[in-house]
Amino acid sequence: MKKILVTGAAGFIGFHLSRRFLHAGHSVIGVDNLNDYYDVNLKKARLMLLEDNNAFQFIKIDIADRENMASLFKREAPAICVHMAAQAGVRYSLVNPHAYQESNLAGFLNILEGCRHHACEHLVFASSSSVYGANTEMPFSVHQNVDHPVSLYAATKKANELMAHAYASLYRLPCTGLRFFTVYGPWGRPDMALFLFTKAILEDKPIDVYNAGKMQRDFTYIDDIVEGVFRVTKKIPEADAKWRSDKPDPATSFAPYKIYNIGNNRPVQLLEFINMIERALGKKARMNPLPMQPGDVPSTYADIDDLMKDVSFKPATSVEDGIRRFIEWYREYYKV
């Protein structure tokens, strides 16, 4: 059993991943700065569940804190680093861009340096479907060029992929980047659509619906994301002997580096998504129509062929089932 460092362990995905690794018998060092981007009490409630397991150790630290992160790696020397901590949110990046520089760039550099200096076997890090930016060729493939981000958040995630590749090349640090597609489910983030819509509908408040609800998203249930990440951690990337410098494939490399999409592989229109929520709640939504927001993209749709080929996994949870499970959790947690 290995010692695994999970950054962002009090966050939505980091919490679920920590539970999965603990269930598999690993020891987990969970790192989080417990910032107030959203309800800190929700983060603390997640941590309470993790701390019931003696194999879990929580350390409150900001990944952008260079000295403390260096000390953490020196002291713990994790075998695997699963990096989920980041400043999230496309729209928030329009109003607080410096938070993205600090966490997503400086913080990620500290992760890379820690892994480099302490013989980490595998760095698995969260990227995002937002890196596809202005691309319109569907489904989004990891073999496509992604040089046209339309938000600062997306640009920082693309930068993470480039930084990881540089370290894989320079120091032979095995790195795998995972482009997540609209993750949802129990214990989710309050700034995400499902959480916002459910809360507003139950409180008889209108929901903001952008672009007449015509946007499409590849909504991916949290359990599917977690299983995909769990399998990928065991698949340490190797140099691709077929990689060609005259026709470079962005998804692989001459270095130990790999990129995967993890998505449901079935885009759903926002209006259909809202209808599913209404049916699960037994209550109609009041809609406040708004124009497309800066930084948003009209559609996301994941090509997951590489994920299926390499780790034999394909997400299987229907959006309708996932919404139902989230609402069951929401009603129980908030007693509504």
Side-chain angles (χ1 to χ4, degrees):
M1 295 297 103
K2 296 180 182 294
K3 181 188 289 188
I4 299 177
L5 173 65
V6 177
T7 70
F12 175 34
I13 301 176
F15 157 69
H16 282 279
L17 277 171
S18 295
R19 287 212 298 188
R20 181 68 176 87
F21 287 124
L22 290 168
H23 180 73
H26 298 289
S27 62
V28 174
I29 305 155
V31 165
D32 205 292
N33 66 354
L34 298 178
N35 68 25
D36 61 358
Y37 172 64
Y38 63 80
D39 183 12
V40 175
N41 290 322
L42 180 60
K43 298 179 181 182
K44 290 180 178 178
R46 294 173 183 142
L47 282 177
M48 285 179 63
L49 293 178
L50 294 174
E51 289 172 335
D52 284 342
N53 191 312
N54 292 331
F56 179 78
Q57 176 189 2
F58 175 66
I59 302 172
K60 184 179 179 182
I61 186 173
D62 191 324
I63 60 167
D65 184 334
R66 179 177 172 183
E67 290 186 5
N68 279 328
M69 286 301 295
S71 296
L72 171 70
F73 271 96
K74 183 177 181 180
R75 182 174 67 251
E76 301 294 345
I80 296 171
C81 178
V82 181
H83 177 55
M84 298 290 121
Q87 179 56 62
V90 168
R91 291 170 192 150
Y92 188 64
S93 68
L94 302 178
V95 297
N96 195 359
H98 293 286
Y100 292 76
Q101 179 271 323
E102 292 163 7
S103 181
N104 299 10
L105 299 179
F108 190 58
L109 180 58
N110 291 337
I111 296 296
L112 288 168
E113 280 289 282
C115 290
R116 167 200 170 190
H117 288 292
H118 298 285
C120 183
E121 296 174 14
H122 192 187
L123 168 60
V124 178
F125 65 95
S127 185
S128 167
S129 62
S130 67
V131 301
Y132 289 101
N135 288 27
T136 56
E137 183 181 351
M138 298 286 174
F140 290 151
S141 168
V142 291
H143 303 286
Q144 295 169 351
N145 181 284
V146 288
D147 285 341
H148 298 88
V150 295
S151 71
L152 179 64
Y153 170 68
T156 63
K157 287 300 185 178
K158 169 65 175 176
N160 286 171
E161 295 180 2
L162 297 174
M163 294 163 71
H165 184 271
Y167 271 64
S169 173
L170 288 168
Y171 309 113
R172 314 312 292 175
L173 171 65
C175 294
T176 302
L178 301 173
R179 295 174 180 169
F180 297 142
F181 282 69
T182 316
V183 190
Y184 73 100
W187 296 97
R189 278 180 19 218
D191 64 322
M192 297 293 283
L194 178 55
F195 205 114
L196 290 169
F197 291 170
T198 298
K199 184 175 188 293
I201 293 169
L202 287 173
E203 294 176 358
D204 294 313
K205 295 178 180 177
I207 62 174
D208 291 338
V209 180
Y210 298 99
N211 195 38
K214 294 178 181 178
M215 295 184 294
Q216 290 188 318
R217 293 291 181 267
D218 201 345
F219 295 100
T220 313
Y221 190 63
I222 183 61
D223 289 2
D224 290 327
I225 290 286
V226 165
E227 184 60 27
V229 177
F230 182 78
R231 295 192 189 195
V232 165
T233 58
K234 300 178 181 180
K235 180 72 174 178
I236 298 177
E238 298 177 349
D240 182 358
K242 297 179 181 179
W243 192 88
R244 292 176 54 179
S245 59
D246 58 338
K247 293 182 179 179
D249 180 350
T252 66
S253 177
F254 58 88
Y257 173 87
K258 185 73 177 177
I259 295 289
Y260 295 104
N261 287 333
I262 302 187
N264 202 38
N265 195 226
R266 178 184 172 266
V268 173
Q269 191 176 68
L270 186 59
L271 282 181
E272 183 185 351
F273 188 68
I274 293 169
N275 289 338
M276 291 180 189
I277 299 171
E278 291 174 327
R279 290 195 293 271
L281 289 173
K283 190 172 183 180
K284 296 293 288 183
R286 292 164 50 210
M287 301 190 199
N288 177 34
L290 293 170
M292 189 86 156
Q293 295 294 287
D296 275 353
V297 295
S299 300
T300 64
Y301 177 10
D303 177 333
I304 56 172
D305 287 352
D306 283 27
L307 184 73
M308 292 190 291
K309 175 171 65 73
D310 288 355
V311 299
S312 303
F313 180 69
K314 179 179 181 179
T317 308
S318 72
V319 177
E320 201 146 29
D321 281 347
I323 288 173
R324 176 182 53 77
R325 294 177 199 175
F326 169 81
I327 289 173
E328 288 173 355
W329 167 82
Y330 186 94
R331 288 186 179 278
E332 180 179 355
Y333 183 77
Y334 288 103
K335 312 300 180 188
V336 293

